[in-house]
Amino acid sequence: MEKENKIPSVQAQMLIRRPVAVVFEAFVDPEITKHFWFTKGSGRLEQGKTITWEWEMYNVSSAVQVKEIVPNKKIAVEWDQYSTPVDFEFEALTEGTTYVTITQYGFQTT
């Protein structure tokens, strides 16, 4: 899907002072991700799998379908809760820094 077709969308961006391989692994491995995003993940992100992410403090969970994995570059998922795609894009700026862009798009409202 072309970027211009991803409207309306919400985007978050961050610079992380770690190598891209380390940052990418932190997003696909729930044992790492639970320290900064959700409290529990049912499994590692792998293309074609459906994983459940839980935020226990809010008593909320969501199934996430993993659509595409491009190691150290991109993770594409779709939330069941919103039926919207989310792209996680990773760009190595230097050997020790990674720029992450997360875009959720395809909302049916404005």
Side-chain angles (χ1 to χ4, degrees):
M1 186 178 263
E2 296 288 323
K3 289 241 186 228
E4 50 272 1
N5 292 333
K6 295 181 181 182
I7 298 172
S9 65
V10 176
Q11 190 173 82
Q13 301 174 18
M14 65 191 98
L15 175 67
I16 301 174
R17 294 182 194 318
R18 296 276 190 237
V20 69
V22 171
V23 175
F24 187 86
E25 182 65 15
F27 278 85
V28 298
D29 182 350
E31 289 302 309
I32 302 170
T33 317
K34 71 181 183 183
H35 296 290
F36 66 91
W37 192 333
F38 47 75
T39 54
K40 188 187 298 180
S42 66
R44 189 176 172 80
L45 296 184
E46 296 177 23
Q47 191 165 318
K49 282 184 135 183
T50 299
I51 304 300
T52 301
W53 288 343
E54 295 181 44
W55 291 265
E56 294 171 314
M57 67 289 240
Y58 304 116
N59 197 28
V60 173
S61 67
S62 183
V64 178
Q65 296 177 339
V66 184
K67 300 293 189 179
E68 181 181 16
I69 297 275
V70 179
N72 301 331
K73 297 282 185 194
K74 181 179 180 183
I75 300 167
V77 302
E78 186 167 311
W79 293 94
D80 74 332
Q81 186 174 357
Y82 305 106
S83 296
T84 56
V86 181
D87 292 339
F88 300 77
E89 297 176 296
F90 303 83
E91 180 183 354
L93 298 180
T94 67
E95 283 186 31
T97 60
T98 303
Y99 198 74
V100 180
T101 303
I102 303 170
T103 308
Q104 184 172 2
Y105 55 93
F107 296 100
Q108 299 304 308
T109 61
T110 57

